[in-house]
């Protein structure tokens, strides 16, 4: 067993921490080191009897899983970034961390998921569409970094007896995780069963695509990122974890994500795009635009006038938004290729010093980038509402976390799918600029949809991107 504090030591610290809290609503946060365990494989154990669960798998560097809600916040409508930051600041300000010796990667985290549009009506939320923002201080948190693991429990005890009970639960969970250190057998697990694999997204997408290309060719917009959605009926429950485990190997440069709001609604996928990260005052954002098949020689992207022009629009916009926030971004002279499984993107990392900057203020300024919406932003967003025959929900929206020291990272929820009951929805988009061709953009959307579609057929037959268009 990993060396760490004794039961008596952690109990004494927990009781003292509870006595020092300012109010009956102050969360107490306890953590223990643990032998190396894989949070992805251990998430089912951590999430037992919990509706909410979360996974952030950016291996080999960082992986953490979370389950249950200690504190939460949801809302629809404007000011969502501001109010979510206020919630995060309030919870972090009240939280009593009784294990300050835990490493940075194991700090308590506020988890956040946004919708693409800020105006998500209550009617749509009742229909299963996520609210404009969800923020959660999880009950359980299991983090792993470079072979070291920590388990954390957040709760609001009302007396010393409950505080002791929390320490006992933490201790017992650690023992349970150690005994099942291999985790669940996700490799051989076969949970996907489809009623059919319809291929009808093209029928509704093509007319909208033609209209979108007309808008950019006529100069009404500089760029428009128009999305298509493929809906797949399921015969039985879909467990995303085996898919995420395979994507860990196939999409190693992406960040595997899972956000299960409840037992009926789950977002999961492998995002290649970092909206931004903020760590000890160091800021980074990834401009990602321009797509090709890896096998079709992605090097051609570096010579494509259309793709380079589309990519530069994204870089220029992100840089300008950061300058508006008082940052001085640094950008390499030319993009490079970023490989994600069978897909290659043009990629430009943008870095800056950002001491004292507020994470969700930066998120509000950057979202949505032209990589997922268009330019000008306001006009592009309006046209997306007109041309896309579905609610985007969490597609292409920020998802991430803020820890108790202000470090944060947010990904853009692309290459992701939503499960709502017995329906699976996969969404992907294409960036339209002058020079865009209908058939090429259709092919790009099919290629992106194929990232998850290939994983969803549990039988020997796999859907290639060519078979989808």
């Amino acid at each position: 067993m990993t060396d760490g504090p004794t039961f008596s030591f952690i109990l004494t610290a927990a009781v003292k921490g509870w006595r020092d809290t300012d109010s009956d609503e102050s969360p107490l946060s306890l953590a223990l080191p643990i032998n190396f365990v894989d949070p992805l494989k251990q998430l089912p154990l951590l999430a037992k009897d919990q509706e909410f669960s979360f996974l952030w798998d950016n291996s080999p560097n960082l992986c953490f899983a979370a389950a249950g809600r200690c504190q939460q916040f949801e809302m629809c409508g404007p000011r969502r970034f501001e109010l979510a930051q206020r919630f995060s600041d309030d919870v972090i300000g009240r939280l009593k961390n009784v294990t300050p010796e835990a490493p940075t990667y194991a700090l308590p985290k506020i988890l956040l998921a946004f919708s693409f549009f800020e105006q998500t009506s209550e009617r749509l939320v009742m229909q299963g569409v996520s609210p404009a923002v969800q923020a959660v201080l999880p009950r359980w948190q299991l983090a792993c970094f470079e072979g070291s693991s920590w388990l954390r429990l957040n709760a609001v005890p009302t007396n010393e007896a409950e505080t002791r009970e929390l320490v006992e639960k933490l201790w017992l969970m650690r023992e349970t995780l150690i005994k099942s250190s291999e985790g669940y057998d996700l490799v051989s697990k076969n949970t996907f069963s489809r009623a059919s694999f319809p291929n009808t997204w093209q029928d509704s997408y093509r007319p909208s695509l033609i209209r979108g290309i007309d808008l950019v060719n006529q100069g009404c917009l500089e760029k428009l990122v128009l999305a298509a959605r493929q809906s797949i009926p399921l015969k039985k429950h879909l467990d995303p974890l085996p898919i995420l485990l395979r994507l860990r190997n196939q999409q190693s440069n992406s960040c595997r994500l899972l956000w299960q709001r409840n037992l009926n609604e789950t977002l999961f996928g492998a995002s290649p795009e970092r909206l931004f990260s903020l760590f000890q005052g160091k800021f980074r954002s990834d401009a990602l635009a321009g797509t090709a098949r890896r096998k079709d020689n992605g090097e051609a992207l570096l010579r494509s006038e259309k793709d380079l022009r589309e990519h530069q629009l994204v870089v220029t916009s992100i840089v300008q938004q950061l300058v508006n926030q008082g940052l001085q971004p640094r950008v390499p002279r030319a993009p490079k290729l970023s490989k994600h499984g069978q897909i290659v993107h043009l990629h430009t990392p943008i870095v800056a010093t950002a001491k004292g900057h507020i994470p969700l203020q930066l998120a509000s300024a950057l979202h949505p980038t032209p990589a997922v919406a268009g330019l000008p932003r306001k006009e592009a967003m309006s046209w997306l509402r007109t041309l896309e025959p579905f609610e985007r929900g969490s597609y292409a929206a920020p998802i991430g976390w803020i820890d108790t020291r202000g470090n944060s990272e947010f990904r853009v929820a692309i290459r992701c799918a939503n499960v709502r009951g017995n329906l699976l929805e996969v969404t992907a988009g294409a960036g339209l600029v002058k020079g865009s061709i209908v058939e090429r953009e259709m092919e790009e959307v099919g290629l992106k949809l194929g990232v998850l579609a290939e994983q969803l057929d549990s039988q020997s037959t796999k859907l290639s991107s060519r078979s989808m268009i």
Side-chain angles (χ1 to χ4, degrees):
M1 182 184 298
T2 299
D3 292 334
T6 63
F7 181 89
S8 297
F9 181 89
I10 194 73
L11 176 61
T12 300
V15 170
K16 183 179 184 303
W18 175 77
R19 290 173 177 170
D20 290 343
T21 54
D22 296 329
S23 73
D24 293 338
E25 297 181 357
S26 296
L28 201 63
S29 190
L30 322 171
L32 287 172
I34 183 174
N35 289 348
F36 171 76
V37 292
D38 186 343
L40 191 159
K41 294 182 179 180
Q42 296 286 8
L43 181 55
L45 187 58
L46 204 68
K48 185 179 180 181
D49 301 324
Q50 306 289 341
E51 279 204 335
F52 173 79
S53 59
F54 174 91
L55 180 74
W56 185 274
D57 182 36
N58 202 12
S59 60
N61 296 321
L62 172 68
C63 180
F64 70 89
R69 295 179 174 94
C70 174
Q71 308 267 272
Q72 65 175 324
F73 169 74
E74 292 186 356
M75 66 162 286
C76 301
R79 297 181 61 208
R80 55 186 178 153
F81 289 99
E82 175 190 347
L83 295 178
Q85 184 69 59
R86 186 180 300 176
F87 166 82
S88 301
D89 292 343
D90 176 64
V91 171
I92 290 172
R94 289 186 287 108
L95 183 142
K96 184 68 175 180
N97 182 11
V98 302
T99 38
E101 69 275 13
T104 300
Y105 73 86
L107 289 171
K109 293 178 175 65
I110 305 293
L111 313 176
L112 299 113
F114 294 83
S115 63
F116 184 83
F117 291 102
E118 67 176 18
Q119 295 288 354
T120 301
S121 68
E122 293 285 356
R123 175 181 60 83
L124 289 173
V125 173
M126 293 297 293
Q127 293 175 358
V129 177
S130 299
V133 60
Q134 304 167 66
V136 176
L137 173 68
R139 180 169 176 82
W140 291 104
Q141 186 177 305
L142 176 62
C144 172
F145 181 74
E146 295 183 346
S148 175
S149 302
W150 278 73
L151 174 67
R152 181 174 292 277
L153 174 61
N154 301 309
V156 184
T158 59
N159 53 53
E160 288 191 19
E162 288 185 5
T163 302
R164 180 183 179 89
E165 184 179 349
L166 289 175
V167 177
E168 291 173 347
K169 287 181 178 180
L170 177 65
W171 207 265
L172 179 60
M173 178 63 81
R174 184 174 72 159
E175 294 293 323
T176 303
L177 290 170
I178 291 173
K179 289 178 181 178
S180 59
S181 59
E182 294 300 317
Y184 281 67
D185 181 11
L186 301 177
V187 177
S188 61
K189 195 172 182 181
N190 180 4
T191 59
F192 178 68
S193 180
R194 56 184 170 86
S196 62
F197 222 136
N199 195 22
T200 58
W201 61 270
Q202 301 98 322
D203 297 339
S204 60
Y205 187 60
R206 186 180 290 272
S208 297
L209 180 61
I210 293 171
R211 178 60 176 138
I213 291 177
D214 285 342
L215 288 170
V216 296
N217 285 337
Q218 294 167 9
C220 300
L221 298 169
E222 285 188 85
K223 181 180 180 180
L224 181 67
V225 182
L226 197 62
R229 175 164 292 169
Q230 184 178 21
S231 297
I232 305 166
L234 304 173
K235 283 185 178 180
K236 62 181 182 179
H237 171 72
L238 169 65
D239 183 355
L241 293 182
I243 297 171
L244 293 172
L245 185 62
R246 292 196 294 271
L247 288 171
R248 174 186 281 179
N249 298 320
Q250 299 172 13
Q251 301 277 334
S252 59
N253 290 331
S254 298
C255 181
R256 277 69 57 196
L257 304 168
L258 181 141
W259 183 286
Q260 181 178 290
R261 185 184 179 208
N262 52 52
L263 300 179
N264 195 53
E265 181 182 354
T266 303
L267 165 75
F268 71 97
S271 171
E273 185 173 352
R274 175 178 10 215
L275 183 64
F276 74 91
S277 63
L278 190 61
F279 184 74
Q280 296 180 350
K282 296 179 180 178
F283 172 93
R284 172 168 172 161
S285 181
D286 293 332
L288 210 68
T291 305
R293 299 175 192 268
R294 189 169 182 173
K295 67 178 182 180
D296 291 344
N297 185 14
E299 295 290 336
L301 279 175
L302 298 173
R303 301 187 297 272
S304 168
E305 187 274 336
K306 179 260 183 186
D307 288 294
L308 288 170
R309 178 161 40 87
E310 177 189 349
H311 184 81
Q312 189 56 45
L313 286 174
V314 176
V315 174
T316 301
S317 176
I318 292 176
V319 168
Q320 186 57 58
Q321 293 295 340
L322 295 177
V323 170
N324 292 344
Q325 294 297 310
L327 277 69
Q328 297 179 328
R330 301 183 297 279
V331 184
R333 293 182 179 181
K336 295 183 179 180
L337 295 178
S338 179
K339 299 176 181 178
H340 301 271
Q342 300 306 311
I343 292 180
V344 179
H345 296 292
L346 290 175
H347 171 226
T348 297
I350 301 169
V351 299
T353 299
K355 293 183 179 179
H357 285 76
I358 300 171
L360 292 185
Q361 187 174 322
L362 294 172
S364 178
L366 291 172
H367 173 74
T369 72
V372 293
L375 284 171
R377 180 191 286 184
K378 183 178 180 180
E379 289 80 358
M381 297 278 276
S382 178
W383 276 110
L384 291 179
R385 286 287 204 189
T386 301
L387 294 176
E388 293 178 350
F390 52 83
E391 177 70 32
R392 278 202 173 192
S394 57
Y395 168 69
I399 178 172
W401 52 269
I402 302 172
D403 73 20
T404 51
R405 293 180 187 164
N407 302 309
S408 61
E409 182 169 353
F410 285 85
R411 290 275 172 162
V412 180
I414 57 174
R415 307 302 117 76
C416 292
N418 274 288
V419 180
R420 293 190 180 92
N422 63 349
L423 188 66
L424 176 74
E425 296 175 336
V426 186
T427 311
L432 312 179
V433 295
K434 286 184 179 180
S436 292
I437 300 171
V438 171
E439 294 307 321
R440 180 180 172 184
E441 304 305 331
M442 293 282 288
E443 182 177 0
E444 179 177 324
V445 170
L447 177 64
K448 292 173 178 177
L449 288 173
V451 171
L452 283 178
E454 288 178 353
Q455 304 296 326
L456 296 175
D457 194 341
S458 60
Q459 309 304 319
S460 58
T461 301
K462 289 187 177 183
L463 293 181
S464 68
S465 55
R466 289 189 184 279
S467 69
M468 299 181 66
I469 54 179

